[in-house]
Amino acid sequence: MHLPDLPDLPVRAALGDVTAALAEHGTAVLVAPPGTGKTTLVPLALAAAVHGRVLVAEPRRLAARAAAARMASLLGEPVGATVGYAVRGDRKVSAGTRVEVVTSGLLLRRLGGDPELAGVSAVLLDECHERHLDADLLLALLLDARDGLRPDLQLLATSATVATPRLAAILGDAPVLEVQARTFPVDVRYAPPARGERIEACVARAVRAALADGDGDVLAFLPGVAEIRRTAAALSGIDADVLPLHGRLPAAEQDAALRPGHRRRVVLATAVAESSLTVPGVRAVVDAGLARVPRVDHRRGMAGLVTVRVSAAVADQRAGRAGREAPGRVLRCWPEGELLPRYPEPEIRTADLTRLALDLADWGTPDGAGLRWWDAPPQGPLHAGQEVLRALGALDRGGSTGDHEVGGSRGWTITDRGRRMAGLGLHPRLARALLDGTDAVGPRLAAEVVALLDDDTLTQGVEMDGELARLRSGSAPGAGRWRAEVARLQRQIPTSRAGAPSAGRSRSDDHDHGAAALVVALAQPERLARRRSPGSPLYLMAGGTAVELPAGSPLAAQEWLAVADAERTPGAQNGRVRLAAVTDRETAELAAPALLSDAEEVAWSDGDVVARRVRRLGAIVLEERPLARPDPASVRAALLDGLRAEGLGLLRWTPHARALRARIATLHRVLGDPWPDVSDAGLLADTDRWWTGPLTAARRRADLARVDAAAVLRSLLDWRIAGRLDELAPERIEVPSGSRVALDYSGDEPVLAVRLQEVLGWTATPTVADGRLPVVLHLLSPAGRPAAVTADLTSFWTNGYPQVRAELRGRYPKHDWPADPVAATPSRRPRRSPRP
């Protein structure tokens, strides 16, 4: 292939070094910022240096199409001649194509079907620094194919950032080549949202300021399509063309945003414009500082896209767009002092790994062992994905499931069904819905629903049937794109299921609205939902997560929903339904038989034992009836759960029982074993020691309230120590007056509250626990009020008593308060002072 005169972009001078490094080492890393030409010039140079085809893997369809168009224009040829592209649902190549630009996901499918990549000499992995899940997996599988099947395959990884040591290492200590961008100065300013201001309003305000502050076009980065729509509405009436740019737009609208206009333009873009694409004429960038990334909420069992703050590397990359052609300016919509993460979080650490697990099983390494990973998939999320695949029939734990199984370590085996699902290029849940939905409702409706589920930008309302009707009528934005995807999916359906796809009849032809819900439920059985109570907007999904309908939803009167899409807001108590279809119990049971269970349940609920026979769909109770004879062991477990939840106060605690507990607790604290721990935690830690007698017959809360706690406590005492309880921790102590006064063991030290006149002449402070614990005396006045506290009577008579005597003589002058308390005679009754 002969190279034409290439444009004078920074990477042109390094093309010879790149091809030489690959020829010598087989792998290489090219670090080059956006605008250097790495996406368009390097593939052409590689094609001129090798004999076979060059594949360029891009993270997004928009970037793949744009790169192919730019390279074809450099050659003066139409797309599909020397340079072509292939994305899902669209391919333009020919027998003479030397450079083919594909999406990472499509190349994964191709690699699964042809691990040798016959006819391919080199693969360029573009924008590796973005760390998308498909790209990370593709890198690992290409390295594996190169190690075992294609040692001659050249592999070039490109990155816009310099954090490449790990990337070079997994490429076999590949050489790293760097190209610097030619940039102009960029003035960075900050315009954070005002209190209560939505990000769309803030971006619109910043766009107006950027237009007024200088010339050129404005490129604004927003996290998603909804924000782009709202910002465009906020900019209505400005003296500029407002153009959206995102991956779900029709090709013609995408191309319009990538061409210079006749007047000033404001391009509202998602992350697709960060790299690989050139938006001409941009002099100002407005950055919302947000991105939408995949996350899994493991607590709620919900996977989806969440909005996060961008990293510093991404913010710098976005800002660089303003300085491509001339000095530029950037307005950042966040506070200047806010600290950003350094680099984006790799998707493999945070995303749902079900699709990755299927790709790994299809490759023959279900757990990814032996592959060279940039970051290996976390075992917990990977195992969760494998369990989902098992439920979908795509994986099996060993055994024979077909003639084309590939065994993997840890016993996972991909089934024939799994292979068909992997070949569809859909998330496994959607693949299952397409295959099984075709059998249930016909190929057309199955494809229609799956195409809608796979593109969250197509919907504006919450009701699935209404959204399908709008798309079928052609009145909805994106209807043409949806129809094309429906046709593609119908062609993908195996003929053994669909027959002639065009002949398939969907239930929608008969206006059976439950049919669409069935397909939704086949994709997301855990999102089947039942209303919590009549009139409530809250629904409980089978997976156990509560979701609610938006106010005024037309679905509000429905008891059952098949939730197609739900989102979570950090800090919100419940998820929010974005798209759902009306369904019923019969359809729910048909779609999710694996979630059905019949069980006898005995549990502590709402303050008592509830024994019932329950039929459930996941977390949803379908029906229940009381159990007349529940299993005694289950009843005991439920009662114990109640005691753990509400405490041992459920038993009958008389004053005697409470005093007994305090006495035993004191001996346990002071003497230790064999005196038992009688705290709630100590008793509940080993219930076998005391669950005897009337407790064995208990069936409900009321039965517990009749159980004497004192008997439970005494059952804990071994006969060898039970006889010493009154000796070591006596319930009462005899004082010098002859009274037997009760001890209070409820505090850290036992307390003896006694009238002072009853202990006159007492010099030895009483003790308990074999003399190890002195008793604290609360010496009371004749009226029973505390007059003094002491744990040392000898010291008190000498030092404290004179002052106490003086105070008591003043308050109780008719009582006898002897000057010599040690020699005085104690008295049970207050003794009058002798008359003078």
Side-chain angles (χ1 to χ4, degrees):
M1 172 180 160
H2 175 70
L3 281 180
D5 289 335
L6 298 176
D8 185 22
L9 294 172
V11 81
R12 188 175 73 170
L15 293 178
D17 295 335
V18 172
T19 56
L22 286 172
E24 178 180 352
H25 196 273
T27 60
V29 177
L30 175 62
V31 180
T36 54
K38 68 177 184 302
T39 302
T40 52
L41 301 193
V42 173
L44 296 176
L46 292 180
V50 298
H51 297 292
R53 182 171 289 189
V54 174
L55 295 180
V56 181
E58 291 290 342
R60 303 176 183 88
R61 283 178 279 184
L62 172 56
R65 289 182 53 260
R70 175 58 177 160
M71 284 187 277
S73 70
L74 292 176
L75 298 179
E77 299 176 354
V79 174
T82 303
V83 179
Y85 69 84
V87 299
R88 195 174 76 181
D90 186 14
R91 189 182 187 198
K92 289 186 179 180
V93 295
S94 64
T97 297
R98 297 292 314 285
V99 176
E100 184 179 3
V101 190
V102 299
T103 57
S104 302
L106 189 143
L107 185 50
L108 277 173
R109 307 282 85 73
R110 189 177 297 182
L111 189 61
D114 178 17
E116 294 189 21
L117 289 180
V120 175
S121 294
V123 177
L124 187 153
L125 300 176
D126 201 16
E127 313 299 354
C128 286
H129 63 279
E130 294 188 6
R131 303 302 309 277
H132 292 293
L133 186 59
D134 279 352
D136 274 14
L137 175 59
L138 180 59
L139 175 61
L141 297 189
L142 283 171
L143 287 170
D144 195 46
R146 192 174 182 277
D147 290 341
L149 299 172
R150 287 291 310 278
D152 62 315
L153 182 68
Q154 295 184 4
L155 187 57
L156 176 65
T158 74
S159 172
T161 65
V162 295
T164 55
R166 173 62 182 160
L167 180 58
I170 62 174
L171 285 169
D173 295 324
V176 178
L177 299 94
E178 293 191 32
V179 173
Q180 301 299 320
R182 299 175 195 150
T183 58
F184 293 89
V186 173
D187 178 30
V188 178
R189 286 171 283 172
Y190 292 82
R195 182 182 296 274
E197 185 180 30
R198 292 179 62 101
I199 190 61
E200 299 91 341
C202 179
V203 169
R205 174 166 53 84
V207 166
R208 294 177 187 274
L211 288 170
D213 194 35
D215 61 354
D217 295 343
V218 177
L219 173 61
F221 286 98
L222 289 144
V225 176
E227 290 83 359
I228 286 177
R229 289 173 181 163
R230 289 192 287 266
T231 304
L235 290 172
S236 61
I238 66 170
D239 186 21
D241 293 328
V242 178
L243 303 173
L245 180 59
H246 56 81
R248 301 291 189 176
L249 281 174
E253 293 184 44
Q254 292 175 345
D255 293 342
L258 300 177
R259 290 193 303 264
H262 298 295
R263 64 181 195 145
R264 294 187 77 179
R265 304 181 308 151
V266 174
V267 178
L268 306 178
T270 61
V272 298
E274 288 174 4
S275 55
S276 300
L277 298 176
T278 296
V279 182
V282 172
R283 298 292 185 274
V285 165
V286 174
D287 188 358
L290 301 171
R292 197 141 294 152
V293 297
R295 289 285 191 275
V296 176
D297 185 337
H298 294 287
R299 183 176 63 85
R300 292 180 175 172
M302 292 176 60
L305 297 175
V306 299
T307 304
V308 300
R309 179 66 78 199
V310 299
S311 67
V314 168
D316 290 343
Q317 210 171 321
R318 291 178 175 184
R321 293 281 167 173
R324 284 275 191 93
E325 300 172 354
R329 54 205 183 277
V330 175
L331 283 172
R332 289 175 167 170
C333 297
W334 65 86
E336 183 172 1
E338 182 175 341
L339 293 177
L340 305 183
R342 190 175 180 186
Y343 295 108
E345 183 79 359
E347 283 186 6
I348 201 167
R349 296 180 187 168
T350 60
D352 171 29
L353 299 187
T354 305
R355 188 167 180 170
L356 178 137
L358 182 59
D359 288 331
L360 287 176
D362 192 34
W363 188 254
T365 58
D367 62 354
L371 298 180
R372 282 186 276 163
W373 294 97
W374 195 329
D375 285 286
Q379 287 303 302
L382 180 61
H383 179 69
Q386 291 166 336
E387 289 297 333
V388 170
L389 294 172
R390 181 191 58 77
L392 298 178
L395 290 187
D396 186 36
R397 281 281 193 182
S400 179
T401 55
D403 297 331
H404 304 288
E405 303 161 15
V406 177
S409 57
R410 301 192 181 179
W412 288 115
T413 303
I414 189 169
T415 64
D416 283 338
R417 174 183 173 84
R419 286 198 177 282
R420 289 193 296 272
M421 291 169 64
L424 291 175
L426 296 167
H427 189 282
R429 289 184 179 274
L430 298 182
R432 185 266 180 120
L434 183 64
L435 294 175
D436 294 352
T438 293
D439 293 341
V441 305
R444 195 185 85 189
L445 179 58
E448 286 178 338
V449 175
V450 169
L452 179 56
L453 295 178
D454 200 28
D455 187 348
D456 62 355
T457 67
L458 291 171
T459 58
Q460 297 179 354
V462 177
E463 186 188 12
M464 167 70 73
D465 291 302
E467 295 304 296
L468 285 172
R470 288 193 319 107
L471 288 166
R472 289 172 185 143
S473 71
S475 62
R481 183 175 77 252
W482 173 78
R483 283 195 296 267
E485 179 65 3
V486 170
R488 185 190 77 83
L489 291 176
Q490 286 188 262
R491 293 192 299 270
Q492 292 281 94
I493 298 171
T495 55
S496 61
R497 288 179 174 267
S502 61
R505 181 176 65 87
S506 75
R507 290 187 186 180
S508 61
D509 298 332
D510 298 331
H511 306 287
D512 183 351
H513 296 298
L518 176 59
V519 181
V520 173
L522 288 171
Q524 298 280 5
E526 299 87 353
R527 292 187 179 181
L528 284 159
R530 188 180 189 182
R531 189 169 53 190
R532 282 196 180 273
S533 59
S536 171
L538 288 178
Y539 287 74
L540 177 65
M541 297 199 295
T545 300
V547 293
E548 59 183 315
L549 289 168
S553 169
L555 300 173
Q558 305 302 322
E559 181 180 5
W560 283 89
L561 298 176
V563 177
D565 189 16
E567 65 180 1
R568 62 178 180 87
T569 301
Q573 184 176 2
N574 304 307
R576 187 174 71 89
V577 176
R578 296 184 65 233
L579 182 66
V582 179
T583 189
D584 52 32
R585 174 177 168 176
E586 179 184 0
T587 304
E589 293 188 21
L590 176 65
L595 297 181
L596 288 171
S597 64
D598 291 281
E600 292 185 354
E601 296 183 359
V602 182
W604 186 268
S605 178
D606 296 328
D608 210 338
V609 175
V610 177
R612 58 186 180 170
R613 182 180 296 277
V614 183
R615 182 169 178 80
R616 291 181 179 273
L617 182 81
I620 299 172
V621 175
L622 299 176
E623 57 189 52
E624 59 180 313
R625 64 178 185 271
L627 269 179
R629 297 179 182 275
D631 174 49
S634 299
V635 171
R636 171 183 166 170
L639 289 169
L640 287 172
D641 285 342
L643 289 169
R644 292 187 182 97
E646 301 189 30
L648 290 170
L650 293 176
L651 304 178
R652 182 164 62 91
W653 289 92
T654 63
H656 170 69
R658 297 185 186 281
L660 177 60
R661 187 183 199 182
R663 293 163 66 196
I664 297 173
T666 297
L667 293 179
H668 173 73
R669 186 178 70 253
V670 177
L671 302 179
D673 290 336
W675 296 97
D677 180 0
V678 291
S679 65
D680 276 19
L683 290 171
L684 292 171
D686 186 5
T687 57
D688 290 338
R689 295 182 303 160
W690 52 272
W691 197 269
T692 59
L695 284 168
T696 60
R699 292 291 178 267
R700 55 187 61 85
R701 183 190 188 108
D703 296 336
L704 293 178
R706 287 190 286 268
V707 174
D708 182 13
V712 172
L713 295 173
R714 289 197 178 275
S715 72
L716 293 168
L717 301 181
D718 184 276
W719 64 270
R720 289 168 294 185
I721 62 171
R724 298 198 66 197
L725 176 62
D726 290 338
E727 172 194 345
L728 298 175
E731 191 173 357
R732 294 175 177 272
I733 286 182
E734 184 174 340
V735 297
S737 68
S739 297
R740 292 184 57 79
V741 182
L743 282 163
D744 179 3
Y745 290 87
S746 61
D748 291 337
E749 297 172 312
V751 171
L752 184 70
V754 59
R755 284 188 174 88
L756 188 150
Q757 290 166 317
E758 292 198 56
V759 297
L760 292 171
W762 202 9
T763 57
T765 303
T767 61
V768 297
D770 258 350
R772 299 189 187 183
L773 189 63
V775 173
V776 176
L777 283 83
H778 286 202
L779 303 176
L780 309 179
S781 71
R785 297 188 182 94
V789 175
T790 182
D792 185 348
L793 275 174
T794 302
S795 175
F796 171 72
W797 296 134
T798 304
N799 302 309
Y801 177 72
Q803 182 179 349
V804 172
R805 175 176 180 264
E807 293 177 357
L808 292 175
R809 289 182 70 189
R811 292 181 184 177
Y812 306 96
K814 296 182 179 181
H815 289 258
D816 182 25
W817 302 106
D820 184 359
V822 175
T825 302
S827 173
R828 289 187 182 183
R829 296 179 179 178
R831 188 169 52 197
R832 300 290 180 174
S833 61
R835 293 182 179 180

